[in-house]
């Protein structure tokens, strides 16, 4: 639900979520993917840290943390979650020209590469043992 990037004590949030879940409970996290190619392009070519929200004030919607898929996987496994699955949110249509280019990249480099760099969101599903 795109909230962990706004929280100072993210470990505390995860520990409380883990504690509150029943055994075999599912925990889902979503947040902007700082490795999204358009965010990287903004940093490299514009010299500005990318905005990952639509905040007009320029503070990026109050984001105080930025994450990659590996960051989130490490956080949830460190708390004790298991069976971690990673998903991406791809903001394009496959039938568009750009979508076809991105699908070609996937066929060359694999789905993990596509998820890491072409997904605008990090989505992680984990289970409590």
């Amino acid at each position: 639900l795109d909230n962990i990037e706004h929280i100072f004590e993210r470990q505390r949030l995860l520990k409380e979520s883990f504690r509150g879940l029943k055994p075999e409970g599912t925990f889902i996290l979503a947040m902007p993917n700082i490795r999204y190619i358009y965010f990287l392009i903004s940093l490299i070519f514009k010299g500005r840290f990318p905005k990952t929200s639509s905040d007009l004030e320029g503070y990026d919607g109050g984001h105080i943390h930025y994450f990659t898929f590996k960051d989130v996987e490490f956080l949830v496994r460190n708390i004790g979650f298991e069976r971690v699955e990673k998903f991406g949110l791809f903001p394009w249509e496959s039938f568009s020209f750009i979508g076809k280019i991105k699908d070609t990249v996937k066929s060359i480099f694999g789905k993990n590469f596509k998820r890491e760099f072409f997904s605008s969101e990090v989505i992680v599903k984990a289970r409590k043992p």
Side-chain angles (χ1 to χ4, degrees), residues 20 27 29 32 37 39-40 42 66 70 83 93 96 105 107 111-112 124:
F27 184 66
L29 278 173
I37 190 74
F39 296 158
L40 295 175
S42 175
Y66 293 92
K70 288 186 183 208
R83 291 187 278 173
E93 300 293 329
S96 71
V105 167
S107 66
K111 68 178 182 176
N112 290 340
V124 173

Side-chain angles (χ1 to χ4, degrees), residues 3 8 15 18 33 49 53 65 82 86 89 91 111 126:
N3 63 14
F8 283 107
K15 285 178 183 176
F18 185 85
N33 176 17
F49 205 75
S53 77
H65 301 289
E82 297 177 351
K86 299 178 278 188
L89 180 66
K111 68 178 182 176

